[in-house]
Amino acid sequence: MNPSAPAKALTAERRDELLESIKETGRALGRTTLYSIEHPSVQGAVAAAHGRIAAYTRKYGDLTLGVLDGQFLVDGIPLKGALSDTFRAAFDRTHLESVSFHPGVELSEIETLYRLFVHKPDTESDYEWAKAFLSERGARRVSVNTTFYRRDGDEAKGPAEAPEEDWTRRLGDLPIETLLFEIVKRAVPDPADRKRVFDLVMAKLKAEIEAKVEEATLGIRREKEIVEGDKARTEAVIAGVAGGEVVVDENGKVLLMNPAAERIVGGPLKEKAGGPLSAGFPEDGMLALAGNLAPAVAGPADAGVTVKGRSEAQESLKAATAVVRNPDGKVVGLLAVPPDAAKLKQVEEMKADFISKVSHELRTPLVAVKQSITLVLDRTAGAISQKQADLLSIARRNIERLTRLVNDVLDLSKAEAGAMRVSLRETGLPEVVRDVVTSLGPWAENRRVSLAGEVPEDFPKVFADPDRLVQILTNLAGNAIKFTPAGGRVTISTVPPPAAGAGNRPSVKVLVSDTGPGIPKEELPRIFDKFHQVGVKEPADVKGTGLGLTIARQLVELHKGRIGVESVPGQGTTFHFTLLAATPELLSQGIETPAVPRGGRIRGWILRSLARPFGGKSAD
Ligand code: ADP
């Protein structure tokens, strides 16, 4: 005990302050048994205890806290109900009777005192050791006194051995550490062993608790990682799609907005800030906002969503947007087609419809005009001058070209709309080729190009639409004749099917070769594209449309065949395509529906082309 401390009257106020000081000091002591002094939680508790003690000693002078016979003594006066178990355990462990704090005590000194408690001297010279411990560390404003039973050298008289008939009854109320200490104290009589056993038990307990906590929180940590992963992914998806960003408070009022969002909501941040996001919302917009924006602290989050916007706008935006989920139902992406694209598609369909109608309507008057011109040119309607005849011939060639273009465009738009039908049946190639050679013969002869069909009469039958086959061959052979200079040769030949393998659809090959100028290698990949024409000189009498090969390819594909080209510039070109051989199986079962139409870009091309039907290399 601090002999210099006079007994002071214990006012209610002082008692309260005392109790607070004791509580804080006890709390810090408790922490030192679980963590090192350097641990932030211990440091905080020690600082709090120092704050209390420093204030108390400043006001009331020295403060001596001690334990005697299981009672808490403050300045030698028993203080009922103030005995903290942690405190008592610490005093018991260190065999100290009391500690004193003096005015002006510093934090470092109190910390030193706690270190002393942690070191727990257990030799005979406890008191001397403790005194030395404090003075060596310059802690002058704290002091210690030995426990009375140590001082007396008679443990039997100490409180540890004092008869305590109901000590087990108290156990239930004790903190675990004190409880263990009480048990160890009674189980191990030797103080040196007792300390070791207590340390061992505490270390084990700490390790076990840590392992249990680790085990218990593992699942929670995994869940947290999954939730965080989902959240990050969803946020990344949204951030990856959305250009604008708006920050709202719990009531949906705008706090921040980036320029992209300003454009979307149609106003600068300074006008919108502080107001509800839905105020003055653009007519065609849609706003979807979580129903309850306050963070979900406890319980499940409110999943309700408020959707604002005209119903048509909502419909069109909804129709253009889709959420992408994984098999677990988690959102992993967003699929959106700008509503404009849907409109564009509609317009394209209208255009295509328009084109096929217009083309159709054009054909009839074209035929009439051509017939009338022919009648005038044949002088059936009376005499005309040579000059008039020349002009009418030019007119007729242009009418013919326009007719070809209209026919090609019609064919192509039909094919692309999937509306072109082929009537596949058993067809003899020799007949078809003869037909083509007969009809193109006079023109070839006129151009002094020899045209020959080299198909053996017994060539296997093919599964084809004879009219469409004539069209394919006319396009290919027509090109060959057109581009081959006088003296050249155009040949239509065939390759029979390979020996039929079981379950295989055997096919034959048809070739159209010429000895013309050939096609540059770099042009070959694009040769079948719509309106693609290579800069090869074309005879003035048969201007092409650039659609012939495109149509030929469409038709070959409708026959389930493939078309290709090989060309050696300066030597000639060979176009080849395959056709299915007419096997009994095919003839009885037929083949699936026509090939899927190719893209829709033709419509744009056609429109542009129609806008300048006589432009470029057009009128003669
Ligand atoms: P066009 O109506 O202009 O002939 P096509 O689609 O039939 O259109 O042919 C596209 C282009 O391919 C032609 O303009 C021509 O440049 C080239 N071509 C086609 N066949 C031959 C050929 N046998 N020899 C050389 N060039 C050819």
Side-chain angles (χ1 to χ4, degrees), residues 30-46:
R31 298 267 167 95
T32 57
T33 59
L34 290 173
Y35 306 104
S36 74
I37 291 241
E38 285 72 29
H39 193 282
S41 99
V42 177
Q43 289 279 314
V46 172

Side-chain angles (χ1 to χ4, degrees), residues 274-491:
L277 183 54
S278 53
F281 203 68
E283 271 252 301
D284 289 332
M286 174 164 80
L287 170 68
L289 208 58
N292 180 3
L293 298 170
V297 179
D302 183 350
V305 171
T306 318
V307 183
K308 291 225 161 65
R310 274 193 314 132
S311 61
E312 301 84 48
Q314 284 187 30
E315 286 310 314
S316 85
L317 282 166
K318 270 191 190 165
T321 319
V323 168
V324 183
R325 294 182 194 275
N326 69 7
D328 298 338
K330 302 255 164 69
V331 175
V332 293
L334 196 68
L335 175 75
V337 178
D340 278 359
K343 266 189 207 155
L344 208 68
K345 193 158 172 269
Q346 220 178 348
V347 170
E348 282 224 348
E349 272 158 19
M350 278 164 58
K351 265 198 295 187
D353 210 35
F354 170 79
I355 285 164
S356 73
K357 278 209 179 85
V358 165
S359 313
H360 204 79
E361 297 304 318
L362 267 175
R363 277 213 290 201
T364 323
L366 280 175
V367 172
V369 171
K370 191 186 158 193
Q371 277 172 352
S372 306
I373 291 176
T374 306
L375 285 177
V376 175
L377 271 175
D378 292 349
R379 273 70 173 181
T380 313
I384 52 167
S385 70
Q386 189 52 44
K387 180 79 185 155
Q388 284 167 331
D390 290 348
L391 288 172
L392 281 173
S393 293
I394 293 172
R396 186 166 65 179
R397 276 206 299 281
N398 274 307
I399 295 284
E400 278 167 355
R401 175 156 187 249
L402 189 55
T403 309
R404 273 200 306 280
L405 180 67
V406 169
N407 285 341
D408 283 358
V409 164
L410 246 182
D411 270 354
L412 215 62
S413 60
K414 256 202 226 158
E416 292 198 333
M420 192 187 293
R421 295 272 175 266
V422 284
S423 159
L424 303 178
R425 51 186 179 269
E426 193 177 34
T427 302
L429 266 176
E431 296 89 314
V432 170
V433 171
R434 219 170 10 247
D435 203 357
V436 174
V437 170
T438 311
S439 58
L440 290 179
W443 179 43
E445 207 173 303
N446 181 264
R447 294 186 45 76
R448 288 192 288 118
V449 172
S450 83
L451 172 65
E454 295 175 356
V455 189
E457 281 307 317
D458 61 348
F459 192 82
K461 296 270 193 268
V462 292
F463 192 53
D465 180 329
D467 292 338
R468 294 301 190 185
L469 209 48
V470 168
Q471 196 179 353
I472 298 168
L473 282 170
T474 306
N475 279 0
L476 298 181
N479 276 346
I481 296 166
K482 185 166 71 172
F483 293 109
T484 302
R489 239 175 322 109
V490 173
T491 318

Side-chain angles (χ1 to χ4, degrees), residues 4 49 109 207 295 348 415 456 460 467 500 517 563 587:
S4 68
E109 293 174 307
E348 282 224 348
D467 292 338
I563 193 167
L587 291 173

Side-chain angles (χ1 to χ4, degrees), residues 479-480 482-483 514 519 527 532-534 544-546 548-549 573 575:
N479 276 346
K482 185 166 71 172
F483 293 109
D514 64 54
I519 301 165
I527 202 81
H532 189 79
Q533 291 178 313
V534 186
T545 59
L549 288 178
T573 306
F575 280 91

